[in-house]
Amino acid sequence: MKIALLTYSSKPRGGVVHTLALAEALARSGQDVSVWSLGRGGDSEFFRTVDPAVTVRMVPFPQRENESVGQRILRSIDVLRQAFTPDDYDIVHAQDCISANAVGRCIRTIHHLDEFTTPELAACHERAITAPYARICVSAAVASDVHRGWGLEPTVIPNGVAAERFTAAAQSGRTHWRSKLGRYVLAVGGIEPRKGSLDLLDAFAGLLEHNVKLVFAGGETLFDYRDYRTEFDCRAVELGIEPVILGTVDDDELPHLVAQAAVLPFFSTKEGFGLAAMEALAASIPVVARDLPVLREVFGDSVIYASSVAAMSRELERALREPLDPLPGLALAHSLTWDEAARRHVEFYSSVL
């Protein structure tokens, strides 16, 4: 089976991580897999090395100054549409709204639902749900949201997780991040509304344990969160917090950064699965998560939940002092493999061909 997986970026975002891991697992299962992406900022390759069994088709997408988010979305769709060759594949599988709008007839994985006010983004989001001929969701909670909103019935195929990378980092004995940063609470992802960054800042300010830093890793995004970041920075000054902003961390270093953290807060307001939190469990790091149905579905009793800033602060404090038994979370992370996800995708592809 010739399969094209399409993603919108070469940078380390959750959907891109998913696309590459799925592509490699599909190739291991004997499929002929190509990954198409826009090479943002002049990238000619992805943020990490990709198994050579997967063909990478990187479409140049140079940055333009003074381009609005809406203009960038429309240009992204147009550039990918002009480059892509759909007739070369049996299965065309888009992983986001940009690629789903660009490629025409396709399968779409809906990782999570967004609410956009920018007209171009809102239209892109709507078409990418309604136009594909088949849909996959990575959790039943998101599939249920799609059904309620559009009357559609996506197939649920959970994410895998590269658990062995994070477990190995935890067992490596390395302490270089802890030596550099001291004891730290680690947020993986950008400073942005969906990640609940302001709530995290307020919750961190309420900790009684003061000998700990707040660290952010990651944050590559297509969108413009400058106003939110300004609000975040002002709030940090008001609270007397000096967060450590690492930006994008090398892929080989990320497991070590996670494995040396004291706790990983996961306060997203919307999620499809929660891959960063699952990776933390694979490294035996306690997770405090926002109390969302999707996270209850995915993580069960392996993480601590909180639904308010006060509760977030209280549970972070508890996790720092008396972390949960890591074994259930470790077992959960290792039970979710990309090879199983690939097997279920191949089964799904065969059913819709």
Side-chain angles (χ1 to χ4, degrees), residues 27-77:
R28 286 195 297 273
S29 76
Q31 309 306 316
D32 183 348
V33 186
S34 297
V35 174
W36 286 73
S37 179
L38 295 170
R40 297 200 175 273
D43 285 353
S44 59
E45 56 189 21
F46 281 103
F47 68 94
R48 69 164 176 86
T49 302
V50 180
D51 187 328
V54 175
T55 300
V56 172
R57 301 294 300 272
M58 194 66 67
V59 180
F61 191 81
Q63 188 170 332
R64 286 185 183 173
E65 296 298 324
N66 302 316
E67 186 176 46
S68 70
V69 171
Q71 290 170 333
R72 194 178 308 124
I73 294 296
L74 294 177
R75 182 165 67 95
S76 297
I77 293 168

Side-chain angles (χ1 to χ4, degrees), residues 39 88 121 195 216 225 312 325:
D88 292 344
L121 279 172
K195 295 298 183 182
F216 287 82
Y225 294 126
M312 290 169 183
D325 177 1

Side-chain angles (χ1 to χ4, degrees), residues 237-259:
V237 171
E238 290 174 10
L239 295 170
I241 298 171
E242 296 182 7
V244 178
I245 313 297
L246 297 175
T248 301
V249 175
D250 184 83
D251 188 60
D252 290 335
E253 274 301 317
L254 182 62
H256 295 283
L257 179 67
V258 172

Side-chain angles (χ1 to χ4, degrees), residues 8 13 64 66-73 116-118 121 191-194 219-230:
Y8 73 100
R13 292 290 288 187
R64 286 185 183 173
N66 302 316
E67 186 176 46
S68 70
V69 171
Q71 290 170 333
R72 194 178 308 124
I73 294 296
F116 294 117
T117 55
T118 304
L121 279 172
I191 296 171
E192 57 188 76
R194 188 174 70 84
E220 177 62 40
T221 181
L222 180 65
F223 305 113
D224 184 356
Y225 294 126
R226 283 177 293 185
D227 290 346
Y228 188 85
R229 177 60 186 271
T230 297

